[in-house]
Amino acid sequence: MGLKGKLIGQVEISFHGDLYHDIIGARPHHLPSMTSGVHAVDGQWGTVGYTTIFKYTQDGKTEIAEKVIDAIDDEKKMVKYRVTKGDPLKSYKSFILTCQVDSNGDDHFVSWTIDYEKLKEEIPEPLTYLDFLLKMTKEMEDHHAKLKP
């Protein structure tokens, strides 16, 4: 087995994919009011090169990750983050998150990809991080469902 890997997860959402992409890329400071896992978001967002700090709950404990936005593609509804500091880098040499929304008519799917390199062979794949991202996405969907009249 190698130290590098990629995990991909996808979930369907009921609200419009453009809105999801806008929240993830330009308005992540709204996440704490939409999901139980994200406690705080600080920093600059919506622009490539800026840093955002996320405080979140992962596996029952509070963690922090400082992420740089490496790419925002509004046409493809894609945002790519690279973790530069924080808890994920205790186990992984590199940790890159990509969120992409695919819309086809009334169908909207959110895909999360984690590209990573483990510091040691015995470190597990970051499945709990992928589960966290997919759960966060579904909680955002639940939040928007409550807002519908």
Side-chain angles (χ1 to χ4, degrees):
M1 291 187 88
L3 296 176
K4 293 182 181 182
K6 178 184 281 198
L7 294 175
I8 301 170
Q10 185 179 69
V11 65
E12 185 175 13
I13 58 172
S14 59
F15 66 101
H16 202 281
D18 289 340
L19 177 59
Y20 187 90
H21 170 69
D22 184 54
I23 293 167
I24 292 295
R27 299 185 293 147
H29 55 286
H30 289 271
L31 290 174
S33 67
M34 301 172 139
T35 177
S36 62
V38 179
H39 306 295
V41 179
D42 192 19
Q44 185 70 33
W45 39 81
T47 308
V48 172
Y50 283 98
T51 299
T52 306
I53 299 170
F54 279 78
K55 184 178 178 185
Y56 56 94
T57 300
Q58 168 66 9
D59 274 349
K61 62 181 181 174
T62 300
E63 293 189 357
I64 294 177
E66 184 174 298
K67 300 184 253 184
V68 171
I69 299 173
D70 282 341
I72 298 175
D73 187 327
D74 291 331
E75 187 176 316
K76 292 181 179 177
K77 294 185 226 155
M78 184 271 303
V79 180
K80 186 175 191 176
Y81 302 95
R82 178 174 32 90
V83 176
T84 57
K85 295 180 185 174
D87 290 291
L89 297 183
K90 292 177 182 175
S91 299
Y92 303 96
K93 181 177 180 179
S94 64
F95 205 80
I96 298 168
L97 306 170
T98 304
C99 180
Q100 185 161 6
V101 179
D102 296 306
S103 296
N104 185 6
D106 290 335
D107 297 327
H108 307 281
F109 295 90
V110 175
S111 298
W112 282 97
T113 303
I114 302 174
D115 291 284
Y116 61 92
E117 182 176 357
K118 298 187 274 185
L119 291 173
K120 299 176 187 173
E121 185 70 39
E122 60 271 9
I123 292 172
E125 275 55 50
L127 292 169
T128 58
Y129 285 97
L130 182 61
D131 288 343
F132 169 81
L133 294 168
L134 296 173
K135 180 182 176 208
M136 178 188 76
T137 299
K138 292 308 279 182
E139 285 182 352
M140 290 171 66
E141 177 182 42
D142 293 345
H143 173 82
H144 279 279
K146 292 175 188 172
L147 298 177
K148 287 185 178 181

